Amino acid sequence: YKRQVSTQSTWGKKAVKAKKSGAKRTGGKKGGKKRTSSGFQTYIFRIVRQVHKGDIGLSSRGMAILKSFTDEMFDRVAREAAALQQAGKSATLGHKEAAAAVKLAIPGELGRNAAIEASKALQKYAENQ
């Protein structure tokens, strides 16, 4: 079985058709699909690999469940933070409001640990700036 390869380029023909029809080509990539935003999927996968040292995979159904969970938690924290920000009559969401929103949205010990880890991450970020 041999595949026949055309020696003519079709790119020039497409460009001519685009010019004739009056359509304008925008800058950027030639062709290809626009990548969709995957949200937290990349980071979820990285954490799973980091925790399990590459021993375990993650199915698409499992990823969908974890993505739904992170979207829900993000929404809860964002709603709490917005309510705290509006109650404080401030135009800016500060680190105190964000930490309080995490403590309120995530119950019990998990919320306290999340707030502690977030403050550690902010301190590390501030040191690197």
Side-chain angles (χ1 to χ4, degrees):
Y1 172 75
K2 286 189 176 182
R3 186 174 158 197
Q4 293 179 350
V5 179
S6 174
T7 56
Q8 288 184 331
S9 172
T10 59
W11 186 79
K13 292 178 183 177
K14 289 181 182 176
V16 171
K17 286 181 182 177
K19 287 179 184 176
K20 285 182 181 177
S21 66
K24 294 182 181 178
R25 294 189 85 180
T26 58
K29 288 184 178 180
K30 295 178 183 176
K33 292 183 180 178
K34 183 178 177 183
R35 292 187 74 183
T36 58
S37 173
S38 63
F40 296 108
Q41 289 182 352
T42 303
Y43 308 107
I44 291 170
F45 192 71
R46 284 182 190 173
I47 290 171
V48 168
R49 286 292 166 125
Q50 185 179 15
V51 169
H52 293 288
K53 312 264 188 297
D55 296 341
I56 193 168
L58 191 59
S59 69
S60 60
R61 190 170 182 187
M63 179 60 82
I65 291 168
L66 288 174
K67 183 179 180 292
S68 173
F69 174 75
T70 53
D71 288 343
E72 175 67 27
M73 293 310 293
F74 180 80
D75 189 43
R76 283 186 192 182
V77 172
R79 273 189 272 131
E80 284 292 336
L84 287 171
Q85 183 262 333
Q86 287 176 352
K89 306 278 191 223
S90 174
T92 317
L93 178 67
H95 69 280
K96 291 179 183 178
E97 290 90 0
V102 168
K103 287 179 185 177
L104 289 170
I106 302 173
E109 187 71 21
L110 190 60
R112 286 189 288 276
N113 287 336
I116 290 168
E117 291 297 323
S119 66
K120 285 182 190 177
L122 284 173
Q123 286 175 353
K124 187 176 179 181
Y125 175 76
E127 288 174 1
N128 291 332
Q129 288 299 320

